[in-house]
Amino acid sequence: MKCDPENEKVMVEATRMAQAETQSAQDRTRIEQAETQIEQEKTRAAQAATQTKQTNTRSIEQALRTSELSYRRLFEAAQDGILILDVDTGRITDVNPFMVNLLGYSHGEMVGKTVGELSPFHDIVCNQAMLEQLQKDGYVRYEDLPLKTKDRRHIAVEFVSNIYQAGDKKVIQCNIRDITKRKQAEATSNLLRAIVESSDDAIYAEDLNNIITSWNQGAERIFGYAASEVIGTSILRLIPAAGQDEEQQILEKIKVGEKVAHIDTLRQTKGGRWIDVSITASAIKDASGKIVGVSKAARDISERKRAATALLESKRFLQSTLNALSSHIAILDENGTIIEVNAAWDCFARENQFLGNHGRGENYLQVCHSSAGHFCEESPAVFNGITAVMTGQQDEFHLEYPCHSPLERRWFIVRATRFGGDGSVRVVVAHENITERKLAEEQLLWKTTQLEAQLESSIDGILFVDNHGKQVLQNRRMVEIWKIPPQIVTAKDEAAQLVFVTNQTKNPKAFIERVTYLYAHPEEVGHEEIEMTDGTILDRHSSPICDGGGKHYGRIWSFRDITERRKLENAFLQAQKMESIGQLAGGIAHDFNNILAATVGSLHLAKLDAAEHPAILESLENISDATQRATDLVRQILTFSRQTNPERTAVKLSEVVMEAVKLLRSSVPATIRIQIELAEVPTVLANATAIHQVMMNLGTNAWHAMRDQIGLLKIEMRTLEVDEDFVKTHPDLRPGRYVQLSVSDTGCGMDRATLEHIFEPFFTTKGVGEGTGLGLAVVHGIMKSHDGGISVYSQPGEGTTFHLYFPVIETEVVAEKIEATPIPRGQGEHILFVDDEIVLAELGKKMLERLGYVVTTQTNPLEAVTAVRGQPGEFDLVITDLTMPGMDGAKLGAQLLLLEPHLPIILATGYSGVLTTEKAQALGFREILSKPSTARTLGETVHRVLRQTAPPKHECTKPGQPHL
């Protein structure tokens, strides 16, 4: 334990005080003994004088001399100052040596003078009352009289003056005792007593038997016993049994003159509580220096012990805390020297061979200064920062810096903080390895940059919000889709943006209710389509943003413009519907074709038979006209369903359009003006008749829409470059050059509901008897068959515009010269005619026989196979219907070609489905014959096929017979 100077001083002074009191008591005893001897001598002198009177004078004188000699010896040896004065004159008659030494005046300087003439006694003789009292009472005493010696020293004396009879006269004797040292001892004693009593420490004294002899107030406070309770009792009552040997050891050390200082031990209070005390003991000696007791000071160190324990615990906790931190921490003194480090610093220093003793005792500022440009480029900045903190120029310092090793990239952050308080300057320096954080930040930056790039390149508008609906991030596409004003985007005003967005929706109430619901239910996923006031359709997705533990951080909204997709889907659905209707119409047309085929063929034979009967022939012509109209209607149906592919050639589209316009002018009312704007365009591959029909149908629809008003029918044509973006909204087209033919009117226009059905067959807005509803359906079918496309724009009251797209070909148009020729006739070629309809089979036989052919009919395909197999090489040509029960014409042809690979076969059909001329020829058929067919069509087709160059028939079938 550290020495307490104040406590030790108190103990020394207390001991000195006790010794001074003992010396003073001894001095008083000696003075009293001297006074007693003087009185005894005086008595003996008086007795001697009386005896002298009774004896002779010589004996008296001898006794007197003896008495005076004894008195003189005492007078001279007295340790008090003595003045003898004449009672009558008041002058000094004698002075003893002690007085001479005390006052500093010589014997001669004092004898013969009054006391008042001596300056030390001036104040006394001036007091007349004192003289009167002396004469009256014969005795005066001053306990504490201040005097000033010749050399001006101030002393305190005890002054006693009395009058007594000396022989035949009276004298005044003044005894002066120097009490200066006693006064000083008393003052010191009083001071020490006050110090002892005011001390917070317990100060008490014991004799050599452990009996308490003094007990201060501090002892009363600490131990709880009053002085009256313990003085005279053993100190062992306060000492635990286990500590009484220790007390005895203290006493033994005191007895042999050893000093005992600051022994920490236990003592028991009056209440039975054990307290920690620190005891210092010193010896009490009498005037002779003999040890007669022990003076002790006991200080209650319970709080100090608890504080020390707490401090130790705090240090351990602090060290444990520092060691638990991953940062490398060092504590520097005011000079920058490392005085403590944590475990992480130790480990780093050891692994990197940095600072000899892991840094302790090294001057860190010098290390920073010397390592500039070697260990770390930022060392000068670290040096300056720590110095600024250490000198109080700034409260703290921190800096991130790279500290790469040959094996890895590393980053650290250094922080320096100064200790608070008034103690010595201390600075905590902490280096934290932030490599993982920096690498994570790099990765996060990369991911963030990647995410932002993905967001900005997304075709969707994306918005991130937190749990409170506050905007966190939105991409550029979000702004574009909703057309959000720049001032709202810049201000990030969520409320204004929500209002602006909501007002663009067709149903704002439903929109805001759905948004509110999803915010109120953060775990739900939302998916809806939003229709805008401008017709735009948005596909909206909304999902919660959660981590792996299910904690919600906000919500993501994505908006995709699906307007064009919806149009394409509707177009696809429309195409599917049209295809379905086309298939139905094709099936109906097939059956109707069979009926018409029989009618047309029979009518042709009837007209031949009635050539000499004009009345009958006229009726047959009327029937023929009706039949032709029915045939045209079936062709329209087949064109719509794309069951017929008209032959296309390279044509100048403008010439075909102008021919159609001529016919339109004659049928369009005068109130309707026709405006033609035809630019020079490339050649297209088209069927002129089909295009003529398209123009007539569109023109007729246009003037019907304007017939009750003055209107304009406008026809335009131009070249158009179709790119990928255009194809997205016109899926029937492919990138490339097209001729765009536009037909527009200023009529009543159509609403969206009507536009969705205009290409459906039999759909019409005209009255009964005004149209069949096939016009636009046929136009649609013709454009499909021309590998082109058609689109329409119309608004109620604003008219309608049709755009037709024809693919361009780089081919020169050569005009064909067509001359009327008779129907080609046969030369007895044998034809096998196969049709499951008996009427059609017989009709075909009659028509072909009149054209000079030999015809065998079959209504069963299997029997036809048998006939060819049974008569190899017999048939020069086979005509077979496509649709037959049991085996269709395609399979029949395949079977026949297996028997005779070079046998010419014509496939007749009124509904070919997906079987085009190219596909039919790939299967081995020479041509497709459309039903119903006229005698000319039938005759020209048969003649053309028979005259085609073909390999010769197998010679083994008819030996010696020439080939046709």
Side-chain angles (χ1 to χ4, degrees), residues 881-897:
D881 188 21
L882 174 62
T883 306
M884 296 182 293
M887 180 183 293
D888 61 25
K891 292 180 179 178
L892 172 61
Q895 291 286 336
L896 297 179
L897 289 173

Side-chain angles (χ1 to χ4, degrees), residues 535-551:
T536 302
I537 301 174
L538 300 181
D539 187 38
R540 178 178 68 186
H541 286 262
S542 180
S543 303
I545 303 174
C546 305
D547 60 15
K551 182 179 179 181

Side-chain angles (χ1 to χ4, degrees), residues 735-883:
R737 296 177 71 204
Y738 283 79
V739 172
Q740 177 181 295
L741 174 62
S742 301
V743 179
S744 59
D745 64 64
T746 58
C748 58
M750 294 177 285
D751 57 21
R752 181 176 297 181
T754 302
L755 287 172
E756 291 178 355
H757 301 283
I758 59 173
F759 295 120
E760 296 178 4
F762 311 115
F763 174 81
T764 181
T765 58
K766 301 175 183 177
V768 177
E770 294 184 354
T772 61
L774 287 173
L776 291 178
V778 169
V779 171
H780 184 274
I782 290 173
M783 294 310 299
K784 290 285 187 181
S785 67
H786 279 67
D787 298 324
I790 182 171
S791 64
V792 59
Y793 172 80
S794 182
Q795 287 285 343
E798 296 183 7
T800 301
T801 299
F802 286 91
H803 297 293
L804 310 176
Y805 304 94
F806 298 89
V808 170
I809 61 167
E810 304 299 334
T811 303
E812 181 102 11
V813 178
V814 179
E816 294 183 0
K817 185 176 181 180
I818 302 176
E819 298 180 356
T821 58
I823 300 175
R825 294 183 62 81
Q827 297 179 2
E829 291 91 343
H830 194 176
I831 298 174
L832 177 61
F833 196 97
V834 185
D835 197 310
D836 62 309
E837 294 283 346
I838 297 176
V839 174
L840 294 180
E842 289 299 324
L843 182 59
K845 179 179 178 180
K846 290 179 180 179
M847 292 176 66
L848 289 171
E849 285 178 345
R850 291 198 178 192
L851 291 174
Y853 297 103
V854 177
V855 180
T856 300
T857 61
Q858 289 288 345
T859 57
N860 188 324
L862 296 177
E863 292 179 356
V865 173
T866 302
V868 173
R869 183 185 295 115
Q871 303 176 67
E874 175 63 28
F875 300 104
D876 299 294
L877 176 67
V878 177
I879 301 175
T880 176
D881 188 21
L882 174 62
T883 306

